[in-house]
Amino acid sequence: MNTSTLIIFLNLIAFESNINTTNNLGVISYLCFLDSLIDRWNDVKELQEILHNFVGDQGDVAQFFNNICNKLVPDSSAYKDVILEIERHMDRYHNSRLREWYTQCKKKAFSSHWSCMALVAAIIGLPLTAI
């Protein structure tokens, strides 16, 4: 993304907002979909593979998407399948038993940095006792 990309997006929004093109809202739907993924600069950082940022600050890109899509009305069915797949992926991630076990283990057994250091000492100490 650079300054000319932002200008092109604004021009495409103006073109699609024309009365003659009401049934084709591809760019507006795409920008609103990206806005649904981007809230803060961290989100722009996560999407670096997709969004190549040449504007400079990642916060500026996040602010652009958050501001530009406030008054846009996208085609609700345009990215419905993609959004459903993302929701399914997030449900699988949050309902993962391995993730739950890891979180519980981290909270109970390794809540202190001393317990982590004790684990490292035990890992180093056990092979040394065999020698």
Side-chain angles (χ1 to χ4, degrees):
M1 299 222 15
N2 57 28
T3 308
S4 64
T5 307
L6 304 178
I7 293 169
I8 290 170
F9 278 150
L10 291 173
N11 285 332
L12 287 172
I13 289 170
F15 176 72
E16 282 190 357
S17 298
N18 187 355
I19 297 172
N20 297 331
T21 60
T22 55
N23 55 351
N24 186 7
L25 300 174
V27 174
I28 291 176
S29 298
Y30 177 70
L31 290 175
C32 289
F33 173 70
L34 285 178
D35 179 49
S36 71
L37 297 176
I38 297 172
D39 284 327
R40 298 180 314 271
W41 66 271
N42 292 354
D43 300 328
V44 177
K45 185 178 178 183
E46 289 293 323
L47 294 171
Q48 273 181 322
E49 299 292 323
I50 299 168
L51 298 173
H52 299 286
N53 179 17
F54 299 111
V55 173
D57 187 25
Q58 294 170 343
D60 292 340
V61 175
Q63 184 179 7
F64 169 77
F65 281 106
N66 291 331
N67 291 340
I68 200 72
C69 295
N70 282 340
K71 295 182 173 67
L72 296 178
V73 180
D75 180 12
S76 59
S77 64
Y79 291 98
K80 190 175 185 177
D81 296 336
V82 176
I83 292 170
L84 287 174
E85 281 298 316
I86 291 172
E87 288 174 356
R88 281 190 208 127
H89 176 75
M90 294 303 292
D91 286 342
R92 282 193 305 258
Y93 174 75
H94 287 295
N95 295 330
S96 169
R97 290 182 189 215
L98 181 62
R99 184 178 179 280
E100 287 179 29
W101 176 81
Y102 173 74
T103 304
Q104 289 175 357
C105 185
K106 186 177 174 184
K107 284 182 181 178
K108 290 180 182 177
F110 299 107
S111 60
S112 169
H113 65 280
W114 292 109
S115 58
C116 295
M117 290 185 357
L119 177 67
V120 170
I123 290 173
I124 293 172
L126 283 174
L128 291 176
T129 57
I131 296 177

